[in-house]
Amino acid sequence: MLSESYHHILERMHAACEACGRDPQSVRLLLATKTVQPDVLRNVHALGARLFGENRVQEALPKWEALGDLDVEWHFIGHLQTNKVRDALSFATCIQSVDRPSLITALQQEASKRNITVNVMVEVNTSGEASKAGCDPSDVGSILAALSLAPNLCVVGFMTIGANTDDEATVRACFALLRTLRDTAIASGSAPATAVELSMGMSGDLEWAIAEGSTMVRVGSAVFGSRP
Ligand SMILES: *Cc1c(COP(=O)(O)O)cnc(C)c1O
């Protein structure tokens, strides 16, 4: 069951790459592991999964500890409160949800204290939906400016959640906007040339995200089943 759903996602990713002439190696699968128990994560690791994304620090820490013997790259993909930064940097090597200057200050401070470099992505609210996290597209420049002054933070790309609709044009416009923001930021020098990651696409819309240039899809329910 887990094996089938995991391999089905890999097949969907592969087919989506073929359909738009992209190299299947150019898109990574991050499993969104909120509410999923460590024994299940161990099983999906045995199938080949190596990249996990957690939304809540309190939930992530015990899982990360329980799976400490596995070679897994942990990302943080949820809203991050500044008072949780210390714990988040205990397990996550990439914070995908950087969306405001106060968070950059807190991350830089903690990364400096630990003498580590932390990968970050700028999360953008590309749909305009009030319920969604992420900075306004017009704030990307100022967020990148703040990041350029944070020597322990390395901008590796951009993250978004597509609009909550099954209208293809609407959802793809969100993903295309993130790609344009990335391309503009790199061309203008406000983001490093290496900030190429586009973390976009989930269980319901990964094909559209891959068609728009996604380099990392974040998938939960299509692999683990619907959440409680
Ligand atoms: C839960 C979650 C996902 C995965 O969503 P599914 O629809 O279950 O695939 C992706 N990104 C973020 C930020 C999430 O919180």
Side-chain angles (χ1 to χ4, degrees):
M1 183 67 193
L2 181 70
S3 168
E4 276 161 35
S5 53
Y6 177 71
H7 287 110
H8 183 58
I9 284 296
L10 295 181
E11 278 161 25
R12 280 178 62 188
M13 292 170 64
H14 200 277
C17 286
E18 298 251 287
C20 60
R22 294 188 55 197
D23 176 0
Q25 305 283 356
S26 66
V27 188
R28 284 202 291 166
L29 171 61
L30 175 143
L31 293 177
T33 50
K34 55 180 178 277
T35 77
V36 183
Q37 298 303 311
D39 57 326
V40 178
L41 297 182
R42 201 170 274 284
N43 291 339
V44 80
H45 174 273
L47 297 171
R50 291 295 180 270
L51 183 55
F52 293 168
E54 280 282 335
N55 291 67
R56 295 168 67 88
V57 172
Q58 306 94 303
E59 183 189 335
L61 277 177
K63 288 194 215 175
W64 167 75
E65 274 167 14
L67 300 172
D69 56 313
L70 302 184
D71 56 329
V72 168
E73 182 179 338
W74 295 83
H75 288 198
F76 191 80
I77 62 173
H79 177 74
L80 184 55
Q81 295 170 267
T82 52
N83 64 356
K84 298 277 165 37
V85 159
R86 204 168 140 241
D87 285 340
L89 294 191
S90 304
F91 72 94
T93 54
C94 179
I95 307 294
Q96 294 200 6
S97 48
V98 171
D99 61 354
R100 61 198 191 280
S102 60
L103 180 57
I104 295 170
T105 306
L107 284 168
Q108 168 56 32
Q109 218 164 34
E110 182 62 25
S112 164
K113 203 153 100 189
R114 291 173 182 249
N115 199 23
I116 57 171
T117 300
V118 177
N119 288 340
V120 300
M121 297 187 197
V122 178
E123 181 177 2
V124 185
N125 180 345
T126 53
S127 67
E129 290 169 7
S131 60
K132 292 258 164 58
C135 73
D136 192 89
S138 64
D139 290 333
V140 168
S142 61
I143 302 272
L144 287 170
L147 284 167
S148 73
L149 301 174
N152 293 70
L153 306 184
C154 176
V155 189
V156 296
F158 300 82
M159 186 266 251
T160 199
I161 299 172
N164 187 19
T165 166
D166 47 23
D167 181 66
E168 177 171 356
T170 306
V171 176
R172 285 185 66 150
C174 296
F175 299 146
L177 173 56
L178 196 72
R179 186 188 64 230
T180 302
L181 289 166
R182 176 198 65 183
D183 292 347
T184 307
I186 291 177
S188 70
S190 53
T194 48
V196 292
E197 294 273 12
L198 292 176
S199 173
M200 57 190 198
M202 314 200 303
S203 293
D205 57 17
L206 68 89
E207 284 84 359
W208 298 335
I210 287 172
E212 295 295 347
S214 173
T215 64
M216 185 184 292
V217 294
R218 307 180 309 271
V219 176
S221 52
V223 168
F224 301 114
S226 56
R227 288 177 288 272

mmCIF file with all atom_site columns, all heavy atoms in Angstrom, residues 1-2 5 32-37 40 203 219-228:
data_model
loop_
_atom_site.group_PDB
_atom_site.id
_atom_site.type_symbol
_atom_site.label_atom_id
_atom_site.label_alt_id
_atom_site.label_comp_id
_atom_site.label_asym_id
_atom_site.label_entity_id
_atom_site.label_seq_id
_atom_site.pdbx_PDB_ins_code
_atom_site.Cartn_x
_atom_site.Cartn_y
_atom_site.Cartn_z
_atom_site.occupancy
_atom_site.B_iso_or_equiv
_atom_site.pdbx_formal_charge
_atom_site.auth_seq_id
_atom_site.auth_comp_id
_atom_site.auth_asym_id
_atom_site.auth_atom_id
_atom_site.pdbx_PDB_model_num
ATOM 1   N N   . MET A 1 1   ? 0.838  -1.216 0.000  1.00 0.00 ? 1   MET A N   1
ATOM 2   C CA  . MET A 1 1   ? 0.000  0.000  0.000  1.00 0.00 ? 1   MET A CA  1
ATOM 3   C C   . MET A 1 1   ? 0.861  1.249  0.000  1.00 0.00 ? 1   MET A C   1
ATOM 4   O O   . MET A 1 1   ? 0.827  2.055  -0.918 1.00 0.00 ? 1   MET A O   1
ATOM 5   C CB  . MET A 1 1   ? -0.913 -0.023 1.242  1.00 0.00 ? 1   MET A CB  1
ATOM 6   C CG  . MET A 1 1   ? -1.878 1.155  1.314  1.00 0.00 ? 1   MET A CG  1
ATOM 7   S SD  . MET A 1 1   ? -3.105 1.083  -0.010 1.00 0.00 ? 1   MET A SD  1
ATOM 8   C CE  . MET A 1 1   ? -3.807 2.722  0.079  1.00 0.00 ? 1   MET A CE  1
ATOM 9   N N   . LEU A 1 2   ? 1.744  1.382  1.031  1.00 0.00 ? 2   LEU A N   1
ATOM 10  C CA  . LEU A 1 2   ? 2.678  2.509  1.066  1.00 0.00 ? 2   LEU A CA  1
ATOM 11  C C   . LEU A 1 2   ? 3.614  2.436  -0.129 1.00 0.00 ? 2   LEU A C   1
ATOM 12  O O   . LEU A 1 2   ? 3.876  3.440  -0.795 1.00 0.00 ? 2   LEU A O   1
ATOM 13  C CB  . LEU A 1 2   ? 3.476  2.488  2.376  1.00 0.00 ? 2   LEU A CB  1
ATOM 14  C CG  . LEU A 1 2   ? 4.480  3.636  2.558  1.00 0.00 ? 2   LEU A CG  1
ATOM 15  C CD1 . LEU A 1 2   ? 3.753  4.958  2.773  1.00 0.00 ? 2   LEU A CD1 1
ATOM 16  C CD2 . LEU A 1 2   ? 5.425  3.356  3.715  1.00 0.00 ? 2   LEU A CD2 1
ATOM 17  N N   . SER A 1 5   ? 1.718  3.502  -3.295 1.00 0.00 ? 5   SER A N   1
ATOM 18  C CA  . SER A 1 5   ? 1.446  4.940  -3.409 1.00 0.00 ? 5   SER A CA  1
ATOM 19  C C   . SER A 1 5   ? 2.750  5.726  -3.590 1.00 0.00 ? 5   SER A C   1
ATOM 20  O O   . SER A 1 5   ? 2.788  6.718  -4.317 1.00 0.00 ? 5   SER A O   1
ATOM 21  C CB  . SER A 1 5   ? 0.645  5.444  -2.203 1.00 0.00 ? 5   SER A CB  1
ATOM 22  O OG  . SER A 1 5   ? 1.279  5.098  -1.009 1.00 0.00 ? 5   SER A OG  1
ATOM 23  N N   . ALA A 1 32  ? 5.947  15.364 2.685  1.00 0.00 ? 32  ALA A N   1
ATOM 24  C CA  . ALA A 1 32  ? 5.386  16.192 3.754  1.00 0.00 ? 32  ALA A CA  1
ATOM 25  C C   . ALA A 1 32  ? 4.874  15.238 4.821  1.00 0.00 ? 32  ALA A C   1
ATOM 26  O O   . ALA A 1 32  ? 3.871  14.545 4.628  1.00 0.00 ? 32  ALA A O   1
ATOM 27  C CB  . ALA A 1 32  ? 4.267  17.080 3.215  1.00 0.00 ? 32  ALA A CB  1
ATOM 28  N N   . THR A 1 33  ? 5.587  15.187 5.952  1.00 0.00 ? 33  THR A N   1
ATOM 29  C CA  . THR A 1 33  ? 5.406  14.089 6.903  1.00 0.00 ? 33  THR A CA  1
ATOM 30  C C   . THR A 1 33  ? 4.589  14.458 8.139  1.00 0.00 ? 33  THR A C   1
ATOM 31  O O   . THR A 1 33  ? 4.606  13.721 9.129  1.00 0.00 ? 33  THR A O   1
ATOM 32  C CB  . THR A 1 33  ? 6.793  13.556 7.329  1.00 0.00 ? 33  THR A CB  1
ATOM 33  O OG1 . THR A 1 33  ? 7.612  14.662 7.737  1.00 0.00 ? 33  THR A OG1 1
ATOM 34  C CG2 . THR A 1 33  ? 7.472  12.858 6.168  1.00 0.00 ? 33  THR A CG2 1
ATOM 35  N N   . LYS A 1 34  ? 3.883  15.591 8.109  1.00 0.00 ? 34  LYS A N   1
ATOM 36  C CA  . LYS A 1 34  ? 3.059  15.954 9.268  1.00 0.00 ? 34  LYS A CA  1
ATOM 37  C C   . LYS A 1 34  ? 2.040  14.848 9.556  1.00 0.00 ? 34  LYS A C   1
ATOM 38  O O   . LYS A 1 34  ? 1.472  14.279 8.626  1.00 0.00 ? 34  LYS A O   1
ATOM 39  C CB  . LYS A 1 34  ? 2.364  17.298 9.040  1.00 0.00 ? 34  LYS A CB  1
ATOM 40  C CG  . LYS A 1 34  ? 1.529  17.389 7.780  1.00 0.00 ? 34  LYS A CG  1
ATOM 41  C CD  . LYS A 1 34  ? 0.890  18.778 7.656  1.00 0.00 ? 34  LYS A CD  1
ATOM 42  C CE  . LYS A 1 34  ? 0.096  18.934 6.394  1.00 0.00 ? 34  LYS A CE  1
ATOM 43  N NZ  . LYS A 1 34  ? 0.919  19.298 5.219  1.00 0.00 ? 34  LYS A NZ  1
ATOM 44  N N   . THR A 1 35  ? 1.848  14.557 10.818 1.00 0.00 ? 35  THR A N   1
ATOM 45  C CA  . THR A 1 35  ? 0.937  13.532 11.365 1.00 0.00 ? 35  THR A CA  1
ATOM 46  C C   . THR A 1 35  ? 1.356  12.091 11.058 1.00 0.00 ? 35  THR A C   1
ATOM 47  O O   . THR A 1 35  ? 0.693  11.145 11.467 1.00 0.00 ? 35  THR A O   1
ATOM 48  C CB  . THR A 1 35  ? -0.541 13.709 10.910 1.00 0.00 ? 35  THR A CB  1
ATOM 49  O OG1 . THR A 1 35  ? -0.689 13.256 9.557  1.00 0.00 ? 35  THR A OG1 1
ATOM 50  C CG2 . THR A 1 35  ? -1.025 15.147 11.043 1.00 0.00 ? 35  THR A CG2 1
ATOM 51  N N   . VAL A 1 36  ? 2.450  11.888 10.321 1.00 0.00 ? 36  VAL A N   1
ATOM 52  C CA  . VAL A 1 36  ? 2.888  10.528 9.977  1.00 0.00 ? 36  VAL A CA  1
ATOM 53  C C   . VAL A 1 36  ? 3.856  10.017 11.048 1.00 0.00 ? 36  VAL A C   1
ATOM 54  O O   . VAL A 1 36  ? 4.790  10.705 11.433 1.00 0.00 ? 36  VAL A O   1
ATOM 55  C CB  . VAL A 1 36  ? 3.555  10.503 8.589  1.00 0.00 ? 36  VAL A CB  1
ATOM 56  C CG1 . VAL A 1 36  ? 3.946  9.071  8.223  1.00 0.00 ? 36  VAL A CG1 1
ATOM 57  C CG2 . VAL A 1 36  ? 2.630  11.098 7.533  1.00 0.00 ? 36  VAL A CG2 1
ATOM 58  N N   . GLN A 1 37  ? 3.610  8.801  11.520 1.00 0.00 ? 37  GLN A N   1
ATOM 59  C CA  . GLN A 1 37  ? 4.390  8.231  12.615 1.00 0.00 ? 37  GLN A CA  1
ATOM 60  C C   . GLN A 1 37  ? 5.765  7.730  12.145 1.00 0.00 ? 37  GLN A C   1
ATOM 61  O O   . GLN A 1 37  ? 5.926  7.342  10.994 1.00 0.00 ? 37  GLN A O   1
ATOM 62  C CB  . GLN A 1 37  ? 3.620  7.062  13.254 1.00 0.00 ? 37  GLN A CB  1
ATOM 63  C CG  . GLN A 1 37  ? 2.292  7.479  13.880 1.00 0.00 ? 37  GLN A CG  1
ATOM 64  C CD  . GLN A 1 37  ? 2.466  8.557  14.939 1.00 0.00 ? 37  GLN A CD  1
ATOM 65  O OE1 . GLN A 1 37  ? 3.310  8.427  15.827 1.00 0.00 ? 37  GLN A OE1 1
ATOM 66  N NE2 . GLN A 1 37  ? 1.690  9.641  14.836 1.00 0.00 ? 37  GLN A NE2 1
ATOM 67  N N   . VAL A 1 40  ? 6.187  4.502  10.018 1.00 0.00 ? 40  VAL A N   1
ATOM 68  C CA  . VAL A 1 40  ? 5.812  4.644  8.610  1.00 0.00 ? 40  VAL A CA  1
ATOM 69  C C   . VAL A 1 40  ? 6.939  5.347  7.843  1.00 0.00 ? 40  VAL A C   1
ATOM 70  O O   . VAL A 1 40  ? 7.270  4.975  6.707  1.00 0.00 ? 40  VAL A O   1
ATOM 71  C CB  . VAL A 1 40  ? 4.488  5.428  8.481  1.00 0.00 ? 40  VAL A CB  1
ATOM 72  C CG1 . VAL A 1 40  ? 4.109  5.623  7.013  1.00 0.00 ? 40  VAL A CG1 1
ATOM 73  C CG2 . VAL A 1 40  ? 3.372  4.712  9.232  1.00 0.00 ? 40  VAL A CG2 1
ATOM 74  N N   . SER A 1 203 ? 0.228  16.975 -3.673 1.00 0.00 ? 203 SER A N   1
ATOM 75  C CA  . SER A 1 203 ? -0.449 15.771 -4.182 1.00 0.00 ? 203 SER A CA  1
ATOM 76  C C   . SER A 1 203 ? -1.367 16.077 -5.363 1.00 0.00 ? 203 SER A C   1
ATOM 77  O O   . SER A 1 203 ? -1.420 15.313 -6.327 1.00 0.00 ? 203 SER A O   1
ATOM 78  C CB  . SER A 1 203 ? -1.290 15.125 -3.071 1.00 0.00 ? 203 SER A CB  1
ATOM 79  O OG  . SER A 1 203 ? -0.462 14.616 -2.059 1.00 0.00 ? 203 SER A OG  1
ATOM 80  N N   . VAL A 1 219 ? 4.925  16.278 -1.191 1.00 0.00 ? 219 VAL A N   1
ATOM 81  C CA  . VAL A 1 219 ? 3.761  15.399 -1.280 1.00 0.00 ? 219 VAL A CA  1
ATOM 82  C C   . VAL A 1 219 ? 3.497  14.719 0.060  1.00 0.00 ? 219 VAL A C   1
ATOM 83  O O   . VAL A 1 219 ? 4.414  14.171 0.676  1.00 0.00 ? 219 VAL A O   1
ATOM 84  C CB  . VAL A 1 219 ? 3.973  14.345 -2.388 1.00 0.00 ? 219 VAL A CB  1
ATOM 85  C CG1 . VAL A 1 219 ? 2.812  13.357 -2.414 1.00 0.00 ? 219 VAL A CG1 1
ATOM 86  C CG2 . VAL A 1 219 ? 4.137  15.017 -3.747 1.00 0.00 ? 219 VAL A CG2 1
ATOM 87  N N   . GLY A 1 220 ? 2.257  14.793 0.515  1.00 0.00 ? 220 GLY A N   1
ATOM 88  C CA  . GLY A 1 220 ? 1.852  14.144 1.748  1.00 0.00 ? 220 GLY A CA  1
ATOM 89  C C   . GLY A 1 220 ? 0.774  13.107 1.507  1.00 0.00 ? 220 GLY A C   1
ATOM 90  O O   . GLY A 1 220 ? 1.038  11.905 1.428  1.00 0.00 ? 220 GLY A O   1
ATOM 91  N N   . SER A 1 221 ? -0.463 13.576 1.364  1.00 0.00 ? 221 SER A N   1
ATOM 92  C CA  . SER A 1 221 ? -1.613 12.673 1.373  1.00 0.00 ? 221 SER A CA  1
ATOM 93  C C   . SER A 1 221 ? -1.577 11.627 0.259  1.00 0.00 ? 221 SER A C   1
ATOM 94  O O   . SER A 1 221 ? -2.044 10.504 0.470  1.00 0.00 ? 221 SER A O   1
ATOM 95  C CB  . SER A 1 221 ? -2.906 13.487 1.307  1.00 0.00 ? 221 SER A CB  1
ATOM 96  O OG  . SER A 1 221 ? -2.864 14.398 0.232  1.00 0.00 ? 221 SER A OG  1
ATOM 97  N N   . ALA A 1 222 ? -1.027 11.941 -0.895 1.00 0.00 ? 222 ALA A N   1
ATOM 98  C CA  . ALA A 1 222 ? -1.010 10.960 -1.990 1.00 0.00 ? 222 ALA A CA  1
ATOM 99  C C   . ALA A 1 222 ? -0.101 9.779  -1.669 1.00 0.00 ? 222 ALA A C   1
ATOM 100 O O   . ALA A 1 222 ? -0.242 8.713  -2.255 1.00 0.00 ? 222 ALA A O   1
ATOM 101 C CB  . ALA A 1 222 ? -0.589 11.608 -3.310 1.00 0.00 ? 222 ALA A CB  1
ATOM 102 N N   . VAL A 1 223 ? 0.814  9.947  -0.718 1.00 0.00 ? 223 VAL A N   1
ATOM 103 C CA  . VAL A 1 223 ? 1.674  8.832  -0.311 1.00 0.00 ? 223 VAL A CA  1
ATOM 104 C C   . VAL A 1 223 ? 1.161  8.177  0.969  1.00 0.00 ? 223 VAL A C   1
ATOM 105 O O   . VAL A 1 223 ? 1.073  6.954  1.074  1.00 0.00 ? 223 VAL A O   1
ATOM 106 C CB  . VAL A 1 223 ? 3.142  9.297  -0.127 1.00 0.00 ? 223 VAL A CB  1
ATOM 107 C CG1 . VAL A 1 223 ? 3.976  8.221  0.563  1.00 0.00 ? 223 VAL A CG1 1
ATOM 108 C CG2 . VAL A 1 223 ? 3.758  9.651  -1.475 1.00 0.00 ? 223 VAL A CG2 1
ATOM 109 N N   . PHE A 1 224 ? 0.775  9.014  1.952  1.00 0.00 ? 224 PHE A N   1
ATOM 110 C CA  . PHE A 1 224 ? 0.459  8.495  3.289  1.00 0.00 ? 224 PHE A CA  1
ATOM 111 C C   . PHE A 1 224 ? -1.031 8.333  3.553  1.00 0.00 ? 224 PHE A C   1
ATOM 112 O O   . PHE A 1 224 ? -1.427 7.840  4.598  1.00 0.00 ? 224 PHE A O   1
ATOM 113 C CB  . PHE A 1 224 ? 1.054  9.429  4.358  1.00 0.00 ? 224 PHE A CB  1
ATOM 114 C CG  . PHE A 1 224 ? 2.559  9.587  4.260  1.00 0.00 ? 224 PHE A CG  1
ATOM 115 C CD1 . PHE A 1 224 ? 3.135  10.810 3.935  1.00 0.00 ? 224 PHE A CD1 1
ATOM 116 C CD2 . PHE A 1 224 ? 3.394  8.494  4.475  1.00 0.00 ? 224 PHE A CD2 1
ATOM 117 C CE1 . PHE A 1 224 ? 4.518  10.949 3.839  1.00 0.00 ? 224 PHE A CE1 1
ATOM 118 C CE2 . PHE A 1 224 ? 4.780  8.623  4.380  1.00 0.00 ? 224 PHE A CE2 1
ATOM 119 C CZ  . PHE A 1 224 ? 5.332  9.859  4.063  1.00 0.00 ? 224 PHE A CZ  1
ATOM 120 N N   . GLY A 1 225 ? -1.862 8.771  2.620  1.00 0.00 ? 225 GLY A N   1
ATOM 121 C CA  . GLY A 1 225 ? -3.307 8.749  2.842  1.00 0.00 ? 225 GLY A CA  1
ATOM 122 C C   . GLY A 1 225 ? -3.768 10.063 3.461  1.00 0.00 ? 225 GLY A C   1
ATOM 123 O O   . GLY A 1 225 ? -2.939 10.883 3.877  1.00 0.00 ? 225 GLY A O   1
ATOM 124 N N   . SER A 1 226 ? -5.082 10.253 3.545  1.00 0.00 ? 226 SER A N   1
ATOM 125 C CA  . SER A 1 226 ? -5.584 11.527 4.043  1.00 0.00 ? 226 SER A CA  1
ATOM 126 C C   . SER A 1 226 ? -5.313 11.663 5.542  1.00 0.00 ? 226 SER A C   1
ATOM 127 O O   . SER A 1 226 ? -5.267 10.674 6.276  1.00 0.00 ? 226 SER A O   1
ATOM 128 C CB  . SER A 1 226 ? -7.070 11.692 3.748  1.00 0.00 ? 226 SER A CB  1
ATOM 129 O OG  . SER A 1 226 ? -7.757 10.602 4.305  1.00 0.00 ? 226 SER A OG  1
ATOM 130 N N   . ARG A 1 227 ? -5.092 12.894 5.969  1.00 0.00 ? 227 ARG A N   1
ATOM 131 C CA  . ARG A 1 227 ? -4.702 13.141 7.366  1.00 0.00 ? 227 ARG A CA  1
ATOM 132 C C   . ARG A 1 227 ? -5.911 13.207 8.272  1.00 0.00 ? 227 ARG A C   1
ATOM 133 O O   . ARG A 1 227 ? -6.982 13.612 7.849  1.00 0.00 ? 227 ARG A O   1
ATOM 134 C CB  . ARG A 1 227 ? -3.921 14.462 7.442  1.00 0.00 ? 227 ARG A CB  1
ATOM 135 C CG  . ARG A 1 227 ? -2.520 14.365 6.843  1.00 0.00 ? 227 ARG A CG  1
ATOM 136 C CD  . ARG A 1 227 ? -1.811 15.699 6.873  1.00 0.00 ? 227 ARG A CD  1
ATOM 137 N NE  . ARG A 1 227 ? -2.344 16.646 5.909  1.00 0.00 ? 227 ARG A NE  1
ATOM 138 C CZ  . ARG A 1 227 ? -1.935 16.752 4.644  1.00 0.00 ? 227 ARG A CZ  1
ATOM 139 N NH1 . ARG A 1 227 ? -1.002 15.954 4.172  1.00 0.00 ? 227 ARG A NH1 1
ATOM 140 N NH2 . ARG A 1 227 ? -2.472 17.627 3.838  1.00 0.00 ? 227 ARG A NH2 1
ATOM 141 N N   . PRO A 1 228 ? -5.738 12.825 9.555  1.00 0.00 ? 228 PRO A N   1
ATOM 142 C CA  . PRO A 1 228 ? -6.842 12.911 10.520 1.00 0.00 ? 228 PRO A CA  1
ATOM 143 C C   . PRO A 1 228 ? -7.299 14.356 10.716 1.00 0.00 ? 228 PRO A C   1
ATOM 144 O O   . PRO A 1 228 ? -6.511 15.258 10.601 1.00 0.00 ? 228 PRO A O   1
ATOM 145 C CB  . PRO A 1 228 ? -6.261 12.343 11.812 1.00 0.00 ? 228 PRO A CB  1
ATOM 146 C CG  . PRO A 1 228 ? -4.789 12.302 11.637 1.00 0.00 ? 228 PRO A CG  1
ATOM 147 C CD  . PRO A 1 228 ? -4.501 12.273 10.188 1.00 0.00 ? 228 PRO A CD  1
#
